[in-house]
Amino acid sequence: MTTASTPVAGRKQRQPTKLRRSVKRNLTAYGFLCGALICFAFFSWYPMVWEVILSFQQTNFVDPAVWVGFENFRTVFNDPVFAPAWINTALFTLLALLCGYAIPFVIAIVLNELRHARAYLRFIVYLPVMLPPAVGVLLFQWFYDPDYGLFNQILGIFSLPGLQWLNSTSTALISLVVVSTWSNLGSGTLIYLAALQTIPSELYEAAELDGAGLFKRIRHVTIPQTKLILLVMLMLQIVATMQVFIEPYLLTGGGPEDATVSVVYLMYQYAFNFGNLNAGNALGLMLMIVLMVFSAIYLRLSRDNTV
């Protein structure tokens, strides 16, 4: 009996030892992981939970909170700016996709084809990202000035009439898209460029031997080989542009005639201009649900296409 139980006892003693060794060997990794989890919990998950709670409450953070159910949501729905804010956000996202999603990919392809001054041009393209967002936006505020702005001066050189870039309902939203595209051009270009440089050169050489020109190489080699990163960047682009705030806040203040009011800017107005933080949280919860539903549908479709 004693002899038979000895190997079992030995195995039970060795198992905790292996576990301790494994924990000790990965202790640094666990430490970094705990730090990241704490940061996410405190700065992301905790505010999200409170956003959901405050959406169903009425409070001034002095008196006890009162549960009001869907009253905050009704307040937001009855706001006449509610529908224009969603329409403007959708239009901004669509226009930003046409510009901010395609242009960085084209520039990355051009940089990847160059043989000289590539590092210098990468720096020039990435320079707008290095500027604080507010600085870039205020720079374009001077560009758009109807009296002495750079863009109207360029139009004047060609004897064209100047435009009311930020003061016209027909050009204000497009002007914001231009600012957003310019500000985020560098990061998208470098991500695409990194993906392009992972494509084996043998594929391009085989395509050239088959007589494929530049556009055929892009169509049959570049795009298929970067399909995954294109799908990821598409989702990130939509999620980011749906939360546009700094451009309408600094350039137009939501005008003219609410033509540039976005959902996030309306949230800001509820919280800090109207003093109704709970209604702002309710609107933020709506936006979060819309983005979650879109992300779930998009991930499902992209998974089916990439399997």
Side-chain angles (χ1 to χ4, degrees), residues 31 34 50 62 82 105-106 115 121 190 204 253 274 277 300 305:
C34 290
W50 264 108
V62 177
F82 176 79
F105 187 63
V106 174
R115 295 294 178 265
L121 292 175
L190 290 189
Y204 288 112
F274 306 154
L277 181 64
R300 178 60 181 271
N305 291 330

Side-chain angles (χ1 to χ4, degrees), residues 225-277:
Q225 291 294 317
T226 57
K227 182 179 180 180
L228 180 59
I229 191 65
L230 287 172
L231 291 173
V232 172
M233 291 296 289
L234 177 62
M235 184 181 70
L236 295 178
Q237 174 84 7
I238 293 176
V239 171
T241 52
M242 285 286 289
Q243 302 177 69
V244 58
F245 169 72
I246 189 170
E247 288 85 0
Y249 175 70
L250 291 179
L251 287 178
T252 62
E257 301 177 11
D258 297 327
T260 58
V261 174
S262 66
V263 174
V264 178
Y265 182 73
L266 186 59
M267 289 167 50
Y268 168 83
Q269 285 188 311
Y270 271 113
F272 298 100
N273 292 344
F274 306 154
N276 193 343
L277 181 64

Side-chain angles (χ1 to χ4, degrees), residues 8-265:
V8 177
R11 285 196 296 270
K12 290 183 177 179
Q13 291 176 356
R14 286 195 297 270
Q15 288 177 357
T17 302
K18 290 182 178 180
L19 180 61
R20 284 195 294 269
R21 289 178 181 174
S22 177
V23 172
K24 185 177 180 179
R25 184 170 58 251
N26 299 303
L27 188 60
T28 302
Y30 291 144
F32 281 109
L33 180 61
C34 290
L37 289 176
I38 291 173
C39 288
F40 271 109
F42 187 76
F43 293 105
S44 295
W45 301 331
Y46 177 75
M48 289 173 62
V49 172
W50 264 108
E51 179 184 24
V52 175
I53 295 175
L54 291 175
S55 299
F56 298 95
Q57 290 183 342
Q58 191 65 46
T59 179
N60 55 9
F61 297 102
V62 177
D63 301 322
V66 178
W67 287 88
V68 294
F70 291 95
E71 183 63 31
N72 294 316
F73 295 90
R74 283 191 288 267
T75 300
V76 173
F77 272 120
N78 294 329
D79 192 334
V81 188
F82 176 79
W86 284 99
I87 295 173
N88 294 336
T89 302
L91 288 176
F92 182 91
T93 301
L94 179 60
L95 293 173
L97 283 178
L98 297 176
C99 300
Y101 181 68
I103 293 178
F105 187 63
V106 174
I107 294 177
I109 293 175
V110 173
L111 292 178
N112 194 52
E113 293 290 330
L114 294 177
R115 295 294 178 265
H116 303 287
R118 183 187 297 179
Y120 172 76
L121 292 175
R122 280 201 301 252
F123 171 76
I124 295 299
V125 171
Y126 194 73
L127 184 60
V129 183
M130 301 170 62
L131 295 175
V135 174
V137 171
L138 293 177
L139 177 65
F140 269 85
Q141 188 177 38
W142 171 70
F143 289 166
Y144 286 137
D145 190 276
D147 297 324
Y148 52 85
L150 177 63
F151 291 158
N152 278 350
Q153 290 182 16
I154 295 175
L155 293 177
I157 294 175
F158 298 96
S159 300
L160 296 175
L163 298 177
Q164 298 290 326
W165 298 95
L166 300 176
N167 300 322
S168 172
T169 57
S170 59
T171 59
L173 192 62
I174 299 176
S175 301
L176 299 189
V177 172
V178 172
V179 178
S180 177
T181 302
W182 179 84
S183 300
N184 301 290
L185 183 67
S187 56
T189 300
L190 290 189
I191 292 174
Y192 289 135
L193 186 60
L196 292 175
Q197 292 177 350
T198 62
I199 301 176
S201 59
E202 293 82 3
L203 297 177
Y204 288 112
E205 294 172 359
E208 290 178 357
L209 290 176
D210 291 337
L214 175 61
F215 292 103
K216 286 188 176 181
R217 293 200 304 271
I218 293 173
R219 178 183 176 184
H220 297 289
V221 178
T222 303
I223 294 178
Q225 291 294 317
T226 57
K227 182 179 180 180
L228 180 59
I229 191 65
L230 287 172
L231 291 173
V232 172
M233 291 296 289
L234 177 62
M235 184 181 70
L236 295 178
Q237 174 84 7
I238 293 176
V239 171
T241 52
M242 285 286 289
Q243 302 177 69
V244 58
F245 169 72
I246 189 170
E247 288 85 0
Y249 175 70
L250 291 179
L251 287 178
T252 62
E257 301 177 11
D258 297 327
T260 58
V261 174
S262 66
V263 174
V264 178
Y265 182 73

